[in-house]
Amino acid sequence: MRDPYQVLGVTRSASAAEIKKAYRKLAKENHPDRNADNPKKLEVFKEANSAYEMLSDADKKGRFDRGEIGPDGNPTSPFAGGFRGGGRPGPDPYARSGREPPGRGGSDFGGGSNPEDLFAELFGGRSPFGGGGGGGGGGGGGGFRAPPQKGSDVAYRLVVPFEDAASLKPQRVTLRAGKTVELKLPAGLESGQQVRMAGQGEPGAAGPGDALVTLEIGRHKVLRRDGEDVRLDLPVTLAEAVAGAKVRMPTAEGAVTLTLPPGSSSGKVFRLKGRGFSRADGSRGDQLVTVLVDLPGDDPALAAFVAGWADNRDVRRDLGL
């Protein structure tokens, strides 16, 4: 075990208040309730408790300061403090002077303190060791036992196909152990959203941890998301736009037929209700279809037709130019 002063980060001349303050800081930062998945933090916490139990007990602190016991509370030599079996103890160098030895009655710890007393202040009176805070055997807190811990959480990343994300189709997730489970997608799904699957993590003494699944919405080759709506740019020919037509087009739930009325200009938007993404309240957005008239780059027949046809409308009147 390390020197308790080093563990708490205080000097040997530190006051009781300074020792207590240092212990409180370490206990808060490394308490198991806040660091369930970090065994290093738990070791620091246990070491801090042992150090504070030593330094908050006036008798133990005095004996440690005089070199009679080590950090673990055990005697540093078989002769420390006098023989216990038939021998006579050595003379007390403080007996004639009337002075109190270090750690005997002269400390302001009030006859010893206990880490358990601080748990009531720091964590609502609940000891993380599930028993008496005084420790057992060895005098250095060796009796402390950590409570059973849950298994570790396991992180996963799942790319959800665009169409499945829009319709909230349940997904199959294969866990690290090879088990496959079904994951229900939450309403209002967004990329980066995390879903917790209770009890699907690593096993532990207090039960398994959880699976934390971060969801990403995959891309579609022609559809794109716009909030809760889905957008599509739909190319049509000049003949379809002029005369009208029935045009097949994709949606997030499969292909459908759009009835294009005659004289549909490029840029005209059609709305398909309820074909978008799910909102948090369970309702769905729409699919917005923008018509784009696609003209051939070099068509003599079309060029000849336009040369003999006049359109005298001022189509840019609203631009104010």
Side-chain angles (χ1 to χ4, degrees):
M1 295 180 64
R2 289 198 298 150
D3 184 308
Y5 291 102
Q6 293 180 359
V7 172
L8 297 182
V10 297
T11 65
R12 288 180 174 265
S13 61
S15 66
E18 291 171 332
I19 291 173
K20 184 176 182 179
K21 181 179 179 181
Y23 167 72
R24 286 171 59 97
K25 183 174 184 294
L26 284 174
K28 280 188 174 182
E29 292 175 351
N30 299 280
H31 194 277
D33 283 356
R34 300 179 180 177
N35 303 277
D37 300 327
N38 192 333
K40 290 184 178 180
K41 292 278 189 179
L42 178 59
E43 289 304 314
V44 172
F45 182 77
K46 292 164 64 177
E47 192 177 40
N49 274 282
S50 297
Y52 183 67
E53 187 188 12
M54 168 76 72
L55 299 183
S56 63
D57 186 301
D59 180 62
K60 289 180 182 178
K61 181 177 184 296
R63 293 173 64 197
F64 177 77
D65 289 345
R66 295 192 297 274
E68 297 174 5
I69 60 175
D72 57 359
N74 293 322
T76 55
S77 75
F79 306 104
F83 291 103
R84 295 191 179 275
R88 299 179 61 187
D92 186 345
Y94 297 94
R96 295 182 180 178
S97 66
R99 293 182 290 112
E100 290 286 348
R104 188 188 301 168
S107 168
D108 58 352
F109 281 105
S113 187
N114 193 313
E116 189 78 18
D117 298 334
L118 289 183
F119 292 144
E121 300 177 44
L122 299 176
F123 307 105
R126 190 163 52 85
S127 168
F129 298 106
F144 286 155
R145 291 188 305 164
Q149 298 292 312
K150 287 183 62 177
S152 300
D153 293 340
V154 181
Y156 297 89
R157 180 175 178 271
L158 177 66
V159 178
V160 182
F162 187 94
E163 299 92 329
D164 292 354
S167 60
L168 298 184
K169 181 180 178 180
Q171 302 294 293
R172 303 293 290 176
V173 179
T174 301
L175 304 177
R176 183 180 296 176
K179 177 182 177 183
T180 300
V181 296
E182 184 175 90
L183 172 66
K184 292 184 178 180
L185 299 178
L189 174 63
E190 298 285 349
S191 277
Q193 188 170 346
Q194 191 176 79
V195 175
R196 180 180 296 270
M197 302 178 72
Q200 300 297 340
E202 296 291 344
D210 301 333
L212 305 178
V213 185
T214 299
L215 302 173
E216 298 290 339
I217 299 175
R219 296 175 66 88
H220 193 280
K221 72 178 179 181
V222 293
L223 302 176
R224 63 185 185 278
R225 184 175 182 179
D226 182 7
E228 286 81 32
D229 295 330
V230 171
R231 286 190 176 271
L232 170 69
D233 292 335
L234 180 64
V236 298
T237 66
L238 179 60
E240 290 172 329
V242 172
K246 291 186 179 297
V247 182
R248 293 284 287 173
M249 66 173 196
T251 72
E253 296 180 357
V256 299
T257 299
L258 173 69
T259 300
L260 193 68
S264 294
S265 298
S266 194
K268 184 176 180 63
V269 177
F270 295 88
R271 182 182 296 271
L272 280 68
K273 301 288 288 185
R275 295 277 183 165
F277 274 75
S278 171
R279 300 186 179 94
D281 62 3
S283 63
R284 291 186 63 174
D286 305 327
Q287 177 161 325
L288 305 177
V289 182
T290 302
V291 172
L292 298 178
V293 178
D294 192 329
L295 298 176
D298 185 14
D299 188 328
L302 179 60
F305 167 76
V306 172
W309 175 68
D311 185 350
N312 297 319
R313 296 175 302 145
D314 186 3
V315 295
R316 290 176 289 278
R317 179 183 56 192
D318 293 340
L319 299 182
L321 301 175

